[in-house]
Each structure stands twice: as structure tokens, then as C-alpha cells.
Amino acid sequence: MFSTVDRLNHRHFRAHLIGPKGEEALPIPPDHPLRPAVRRATSFPSDQHLRAVADQLLQQQAPPVSAVRVEVWKATFETSSLQIHPLQVAALMLGGP
């Protein structure tokens, strides 16, 4: 029997705003209107789902924010060290300088 730590509650969605001063993490609270889209992107991190969230986030930002990067991470189990480590599943950047 095999066990896995890759469950939806072990995945994390991260968003970063990118502007002239660098990157800033953008927390998305549980009651945010984008939460359903974030859940879709987290459970099935396709370019389409990531782009939908990134596009909405970028539209909500005012200059000088020039880009948004979104990422989905999961926990992975390393058998040699018996440690759980984060692993990036998908990432997408929208916008640019």
C-alpha cells in the first residue's frame, strides 16, 4: 500500500506583486471573491487556471505594479531523509516591466 502527502489541504497557492521596488507577497484571505478560482488553480494548476487568477489580480492592482506571479506548491516526502519538503508544482507570471 502506498501513501501520499499530495492532498488539496497540503497544497499552497502563493501570489506575488512585482513592481519597481521588487516583489511583495499578496495574501488572499478566505473571504476574497477570487477564492473559488484560487481553489481551482490549486487543485488543477493548469496554465488556464493560473492565468485566470493572475489576470484578475493584475487588474485589481494600481500602478506601479507591473506584473503578478502566481505559484502552486505541494508537500513532498523524501524517503532518504524522511523529511517533508515543499515542491513547486506550477508557476505563471503575467505582465512585465
Side-chain angles (χ1 to χ4, degrees), residues 51-63:
R51 186 174 304 280
V53 175
D55 186 47
Q56 289 292 318
L57 290 173
L58 192 57
Q59 288 180 21
Q60 294 173 3
Q61 305 307 314

Side-chain angles (χ1 to χ4, degrees), residues 3-89:
S3 177
T4 180
V5 293
D6 187 18
R7 287 188 252 159
L8 189 54
N9 62 340
H10 290 150
R11 288 190 177 194
H12 303 282
F13 184 89
R14 297 180 185 167
H16 303 271
L17 302 176
I18 302 168
K21 294 183 180 181
E23 290 190 21
E24 179 182 338
L26 176 66
I28 301 174
D31 60 344
H32 194 282
L34 273 177
R35 241 343 174 179
V38 167
R39 273 194 293 277
R40 279 191 298 278
T42 304
S43 59
F44 183 57
S46 67
D47 280 351
Q48 178 183 359
H49 289 150
L50 293 172
R51 186 174 304 280
V53 175
D55 186 47
Q56 289 292 318
L57 290 173
L58 192 57
Q59 288 180 21
Q60 294 173 3
Q61 305 307 314
V65 172
S66 60
V68 173
R69 189 177 75 243
V70 292
E71 306 168 341
V72 176
W73 292 77
K74 72 176 185 174
T76 184
F77 183 74
E78 182 153 344
T79 56
S80 62
S81 65
L82 303 178
Q83 299 284 324
I84 294 178
H85 297 281
L87 176 68
Q88 188 178 56
V89 177

